[in-house]
Amino acid sequence: MSVIDVIKSQDFFSTLTDEQAKLLSSISSLHSYPKDYILHYEQKYSSELLFLTDGLAKAYKIDKHSNEIFLYYIYKNTLISEISDLQEDTLHSFSNVELVEDSQILSIDYKKFKELFLDKHILCKAFANEVIKRSLQLQTLINREFIYDSVSKVAKMLDADLEMFNSLKRHDISLILNIQPATLSRVLNRLKRNKIIDIIQGKVIVLDISALVAVYEE
């Protein structure tokens, strides 16, 4: 697909006219990267606004003991860049971003994007929605790390991202949720005994969504 075709395929840009999409394509470029490629490191600056048009990425930080702290997944048709100050012409990264799958990235000149679109009140609503979604992801992170117990963590992930849960190895899920693999196994068995989930050939099936939600909302 050409740059303009990719732009037109993204929900974020769905309100653009053909002329506006053509203008945006003139300040954009497409890049394909393999799995495990690191798009950017935390505390770095960039002049490019990045969108994940295909594939999957993850955001994470590294603690002082060199341990990886998982933050959240970034799905296709989503803004990758972190927006912290609309007054600046460069973007500052709060986290590391690594590709989990072979992926395609739409890269846009951020300064020109602001001048040609945001400063003219074009795409402002879509841009604000992406910032809000990122804020909600960080709220989920706070709940996961500081509020939820192990049972609530597992229940929340099953409710919010069952497909991802079933695609990952149990060890990787334990790292994401910051719990021991044995604890994850006990929680899953507990949920199964309570007939909230079933596990068939290693895949989790939710049987009672209301009961599952009640686990982490109570």
Side-chain angles (χ1 to χ4, degrees):
M1 295 177 70
S2 66
V3 174
I4 194 167
D5 287 335
V6 169
I7 288 172
K8 289 181 176 181
S9 73
Q10 301 297 297
D11 292 342
F12 183 91
F13 305 111
S14 61
T15 60
L16 293 181
T17 65
D18 288 345
E19 191 64 29
Q20 289 169 338
K22 184 178 180 180
L23 178 61
L24 180 60
S25 69
S26 70
I27 59 170
S28 305
S29 57
L30 275 177
H31 305 276
S32 295
Y33 298 107
K35 175 184 177 181
D36 299 327
Y37 181 84
I38 298 178
L39 281 175
H40 62 66
Y41 293 93
E42 58 184 294
Q43 307 305 327
K44 298 297 183 181
Y45 289 88
S46 173
S47 61
E48 299 295 311
L49 185 68
L50 303 179
F51 284 84
L52 183 64
T53 61
D54 193 31
L56 179 68
K58 67 175 180 179
Y60 66 96
K61 293 182 74 69
I62 300 295
D63 67 15
K64 63 181 180 180
H65 302 296
S66 298
N67 296 311
E68 180 181 308
I69 302 173
F70 173 83
L71 300 179
Y72 50 81
Y73 281 111
I74 302 169
Y75 298 94
K76 65 179 181 180
N77 200 12
T78 302
L79 176 68
I80 296 174
S81 302
E82 297 155 338
I83 312 300
S84 57
D85 188 346
L86 291 175
Q87 304 304 315
E88 297 294 331
D89 291 332
T90 55
L91 298 165
H92 180 242
S93 59
F94 168 75
S95 61
N96 306 288
V97 173
E98 179 181 329
L99 300 180
V100 180
E101 301 174 354
D102 293 349
S103 301
Q104 184 182 67
I105 308 298
L106 178 67
S107 179
I108 303 172
D109 185 308
Y110 183 53
K111 183 178 181 179
K112 291 181 180 178
F113 178 74
K114 287 179 60 183
E115 294 172 352
L116 298 173
F117 294 92
L118 296 184
D119 289 350
K120 296 181 179 180
H121 308 293
I122 302 171
L123 293 174
C124 289
K125 184 177 180 180
F127 200 70
N129 285 337
E130 288 295 326
V131 174
I132 290 170
K133 284 195 292 185
R134 187 60 48 82
S135 176
L136 292 174
Q137 286 179 312
L138 294 177
Q139 288 181 35
T140 299
L141 170 65
I142 291 171
N143 285 333
R144 189 181 76 216
E145 295 300 321
F146 302 108
I147 308 299
Y148 290 160
D149 60 14
S150 58
V151 180
S152 296
K153 288 181 179 182
V154 175
K156 177 63 176 179
M157 186 172 183
L158 289 174
D159 177 40
D161 209 341
L162 180 61
E163 182 178 354
M164 179 59 67
F165 188 98
N166 281 329
S167 70
L168 295 172
K169 296 178 180 178
R170 295 289 191 259
H171 174 74
D172 293 330
I173 296 171
S174 299
L175 291 176
I176 290 173
L177 298 180
N178 195 23
I179 60 178
Q180 293 297 318
T183 302
L184 173 60
S185 181
R186 285 196 297 270
V187 170
L188 290 174
N189 287 333
R190 172 179 167 180
L191 294 174
K192 183 177 180 180
R193 285 197 307 273
N194 292 338
K195 301 188 184 305
I196 296 175
I197 66 169
D198 197 3
I199 303 174
I200 300 176
Q201 295 183 340
K203 303 297 183 182
V204 173
I205 299 172
V206 176
L207 302 176
D208 190 336
I209 187 63
S210 296
L212 183 67
V213 171
V215 169
Y216 63 85
E217 287 192 343
E218 62 185 11

